Amino acid sequence: MSKVRIDVAVSLDGYMAGMNQRVDNALGDGGESLHEWMFELEAFGRMHGDPDASGITNENTRWVEDMFEGVGAGVMGRNMFGGHPGPWDEPAWEGWWGDEPPYRCPTFVVTHHEREPLVKGDTTFYFVTEGVEVAIERAKEAAGGLDVSMHGGPSTINQALAAGLVDEMIVHIAPVFLGSGERVFTDLGSTLPKLEQIEAVGGPGATHIRYRVTH
């Protein structure tokens, strides 16, 4: 059955990115430390389009391989696509994800500013100005019965949780404190999501927890 699922890396104090995010510092100060457990994996290189990627295999590998397994469409916020909350410049910047983003499926970007679809490799970014609910609805239609992955950022994830639109959460907790930045799982409204823990696995540099959202 198709699910809307969140898959995010966070610090122990709940941040998905540090302060001072900018074009040349996408994750903000200290933000890359949330993903160090991924960078050494052979699976991470393959995910980013290198079929001959070198690297190791360990307890974290399955969690990287599962990020896009069974996913038919994705949703992200404007800041995760490429920052800059204001109107698109001309020529509009094509985001942080390079010529071959790892998503390889229709990906719907929540933004206040209209823009034509952008094709990058096997990923097409569609820009949705009607809010996160419409973005998820369009993603479900595009997914063709597969899952929809909420990639981020924190604001978009928080809105989806507050609206009761999420079925599953996978949280990768890195053993670091960022102290400030963009925090996830806040401002969720008066009716907080209820969670059932399905799985918890410790790996080098991260603890992986899967939850079912029972609403």
Side-chain angles (χ1 to χ4, degrees), residues 102-123:
Y103 305 111
R104 299 183 178 88
C105 64
T107 301
F108 295 83
V109 181
V110 182
T111 175
H112 293 296
H113 304 285
E114 293 183 357
R115 179 173 175 176
E116 291 299 310
L118 174 66
V119 179
K120 301 289 287 183
D122 293 329
T123 302

Side-chain angles (χ1 to χ4, degrees), residues 106-166:
T107 301
F108 295 83
V109 181
V110 182
T111 175
H112 293 296
H113 304 285
E114 293 183 357
R115 179 173 175 176
E116 291 299 310
L118 174 66
V119 179
K120 301 289 287 183
D122 293 329
T123 302
T124 300
F125 293 101
Y126 297 91
F127 300 89
V128 181
T129 58
E130 298 92 344
V132 69
E133 292 91 346
V134 172
I136 290 175
E137 181 180 334
R138 290 183 58 186
K140 284 182 174 180
E141 292 172 356
L146 297 176
D147 289 351
V148 172
S149 180
M150 298 288 303
H151 302 306
S155 176
T156 303
I157 285 174
N158 293 341
Q159 291 174 53
L161 279 169
L165 300 174
V166 176

Side-chain angles (χ1 to χ4, degrees), residues 59-126:
E59 295 93 332
N60 297 324
T61 295
R62 173 171 65 91
W63 296 89
V64 169
E65 293 177 335
D66 285 352
M67 283 181 179
F68 301 116
E69 182 68 27
V71 171
V75 175
M76 66 173 61
R78 163 71 181 269
N79 197 47
M80 184 165 180
F81 168 78
H84 305 303
W88 302 102
D89 297 327
E90 293 295 339
W93 188 47
E94 297 188 351
W96 279 315
W97 299 103
D99 292 331
E100 187 58 70
Y103 305 111
R104 299 183 178 88
C105 64
T107 301
F108 295 83
V109 181
V110 182
T111 175
H112 293 296
H113 304 285
E114 293 183 357
R115 179 173 175 176
E116 291 299 310
L118 174 66
V119 179
K120 301 289 287 183
D122 293 329
T123 302
T124 300
F125 293 101
Y126 297 91

Side-chain angles (χ1 to χ4, degrees), residues 194-210:
K194 295 181 174 62
L195 305 177
E196 175 188 351
Q197 182 174 306
I198 302 171
E199 185 179 9
V201 175
T207 300
H208 314 282
I209 309 177
R210 188 188 307 270

